[in-house]
Amino acid sequence: MINYTPLLSVSNFKIIIFMPDQLVNKSVNHGFCFNILCVGETGLGKSTLMDTLFNTKFEGEPTQHNQPGVQLKSNTYELQESNVRLKLTVVNTVGFGDQINKEDSYKSIVEFIDTQFEAYLQEELKIKRTLHSYHDTRIHACLYFIAPTGHSLKSLDLVTMKKLDSKVNIIPIIAKSDAISKSELTKFKIKITSELVSNGVQIYQFPTDDETVAEINSTMNGHLPFAVVGSTEEVKIGNKMVKARQYPWGTVQVENENHCDFVKLREMLIRVNMEDLREQTHTRHYELYRRCKLEEMGFKDTDPDCKPFSLQETYEAKRNEFMGDLQKKEEEMRQMFVQRVKEKEAELKEAEKELHEKFDRLKKLHQDEKKKLEDKKKSLDDELNGFKQKKTAAELLQSQAQQAGGSTTLKRDKERKK
């Protein structure tokens, strides 16, 4: 039995009191990182709500919504208030719900989330890790924008949230909630909650285990999904300027809790539960991805006998398995190479045989043509010799005729002279 001796002297107690301050100072000096994924159809005011939440105008180029699929666009901003620095990353789903066939709309989002998990896992597996300076791009919160139809969730919303609930903290919100009346909004919230439960969709619940925030979080869980309105325009109400949307029938104040749940969303997302969202991302969603990924790679904590499994043994086993597979593949490739060489040699021999046969045919044809030419030449030579003989005979006859004609002319001349 081990006996523990208490060491809580006055000086030690003072050290314990100052430890939270040290942690706070360290965190403030290092800065904070928070990544938000905005999922929703085009025109639901995702960018406007982000500008309203963080009270700034995020610069961004207008995006075209004519892509064949869903494109995820990520922007990172450096925000600072007093001495607290926040690296905020906002990821928008461009083209979500724009396609005629929406069956695979969620796949690009799932792949993006898994890519961020994989990048963090690869950083963890490095020999020289730099996690203290690594820019963590894992998604901490997913704001799912629901169209204010007042009826029920679309099948696209249910399928997408079901695919995402094991990978990210989903906070459903009803966008542009001023488009429907208060009574319709209340019924719509009840309908959404009922459909999420009946379809087994797990949304993020604000934690109630911490006594300091248990009461407010428990109350806010009952307000989900939040009905929000976003606006960066300021309107003068009474003696102060407030963010609002003006309509012919009146004005909707963004930060008036009687008009919408924007303040509730801001409080829960940024001021009360930001650290819990980050922790849930790491301890729940990332750990699930990490465990599945390592199990796929063959790593286990225990062997079939439920005994601790050494990482070195696992590595050696996987290495031997890999080397065995590599040797097997090398042997298969060698056999395939030998087989292809034999096939190529057979093809070359067949081609060589065909060439020899073709050469013999051409040679015989050449000889036949040569013989024909020689026979024709001989015939022409015979004709030429006959022609020459005839020519010689003709010339001889012509000469004799000329001689005979000359003697006759002389006789006639002599007779005339007489």
Side-chain angles (χ1 to χ4, degrees), residues 262-278:
F262 173 81
V263 174
K264 297 182 178 68
L265 173 64
R266 184 177 61 190
E267 290 288 326
M268 292 297 98
L269 183 67
I270 301 174
R271 297 180 180 175
V272 180
N273 298 300
M274 178 183 287
E275 188 57 33
D276 184 73
L277 286 165
R278 287 159 44 88

Side-chain angles (χ1 to χ4, degrees), residues 63-284:
T63 54
Q64 300 295 325
H65 294 269
N66 53 2
Q67 293 92 349
V70 180
Q71 305 291 327
L72 278 88
K73 187 176 180 182
S74 176
N75 293 301
T76 301
Y77 309 95
E78 296 281 351
L79 304 180
Q80 183 166 352
E81 184 174 350
S82 298
N83 62 334
V84 179
R85 291 181 293 107
L86 174 65
K87 181 178 286 187
L88 174 69
T89 299
V90 179
V91 183
N92 198 1
T93 53
V94 181
F96 182 79
D98 290 348
Q99 296 76 32
I100 296 176
N101 183 6
K102 302 177 177 63
E103 184 177 354
D104 298 333
S105 296
Y106 68 89
K107 289 185 177 179
S108 299
I109 305 174
V110 172
E111 289 174 1
F112 179 86
I113 296 173
D114 286 345
T115 300
Q116 313 316 311
F117 284 155
E118 181 64 24
Y120 192 87
L121 178 61
Q122 292 301 321
E123 184 65 26
E124 272 194 332
L125 294 176
K126 286 182 179 179
I127 297 176
K128 294 182 179 180
R129 299 183 298 178
T130 56
L131 292 175
H132 64 282
S133 60
Y134 176 75
H135 179 204
D136 186 4
T137 58
R138 295 173 298 175
I139 301 300
H140 300 126
C142 171
L143 297 182
Y144 197 94
F145 289 68
I146 300 170
T149 60
H151 300 292
S152 61
L153 288 172
K154 299 178 182 179
S155 57
L156 172 64
D157 299 330
L158 286 172
V159 170
T160 303
M161 281 193 277
K162 184 62 179 176
K163 294 294 181 180
L164 296 180
D165 64 357
S166 62
K167 295 181 176 296
V168 70
N169 301 311
I170 299 177
I171 302 176
I173 58 177
I174 302 172
K176 296 186 175 180
S177 61
D178 54 337
I180 54 178
S181 64
K182 264 196 170 183
S183 59
E184 289 175 331
L185 189 58
T186 303
K187 294 177 182 178
F188 191 33
K189 282 189 175 185
I190 297 172
K191 181 70 173 177
I192 291 172
T193 304
S194 174
E195 288 184 345
L196 291 176
V197 172
S198 62
N199 287 276
V201 179
Q202 299 293 325
I203 63 173
Y204 174 75
Q205 294 290 318
F206 303 118
T208 56
D209 51 353
D210 187 352
E211 294 181 357
T212 59
V213 294
E215 184 178 354
I216 184 173
N217 279 350
S218 179
T219 303
M220 291 303 169
N221 283 330
H223 286 281
L224 289 173
F226 291 133
V228 299
V229 176
S231 176
T232 56
E233 297 179 5
E234 292 192 346
V235 178
K236 189 172 183 180
I237 304 294
N239 295 325
K240 61 179 182 178
M241 301 295 291
V242 296
K243 290 183 173 64
R245 295 180 67 88
Q246 282 188 317
Y247 295 97
W249 44 263
T251 303
V252 177
Q253 299 178 36
V254 172
E255 296 182 348
N256 188 332
E257 295 192 47
N258 293 323
H259 292 180
C260 69
D261 297 332
F262 173 81
V263 174
K264 297 182 178 68
L265 173 64
R266 184 177 61 190
E267 290 288 326
M268 292 297 98
L269 183 67
I270 301 174
R271 297 180 180 175
V272 180
N273 298 300
M274 178 183 287
E275 188 57 33
D276 184 73
L277 286 165
R278 287 159 44 88
E279 184 179 350
Q280 286 290 322
T281 299
H282 182 77
T283 60
R284 179 187 171 193

Side-chain angles (χ1 to χ4, degrees), residues 338-398:
V338 171
Q339 181 65 25
R340 289 191 176 182
V341 168
K342 289 181 179 179
E343 292 176 357
K344 199 66 178 178
E345 286 179 350
E347 291 177 4
L348 291 173
K349 287 180 180 179
E350 186 67 25
E352 184 180 6
K353 183 180 178 181
E354 291 179 359
L355 285 173
H356 280 300
E357 291 177 354
K358 186 176 181 180
F359 176 74
D360 292 338
R361 289 196 302 269
L362 291 174
K363 185 177 179 181
K364 185 178 179 182
L365 182 63
H366 174 70
Q367 290 175 350
D368 293 341
E369 291 292 334
K370 184 178 179 181
K371 185 177 180 183
K372 288 180 182 179
L373 288 173
E374 288 177 350
D375 293 342
K376 192 170 184 180
K377 181 181 179 183
K378 184 178 179 183
S379 175
L380 289 173
D381 288 340
D382 292 342
E383 289 180 7
L384 182 61
N385 291 332
F387 176 75
K388 287 180 178 179
Q389 289 176 1
K390 289 179 181 180
K391 181 180 179 182
T392 304
E395 288 177 349
L396 181 59
L397 289 175
Q398 185 179 5

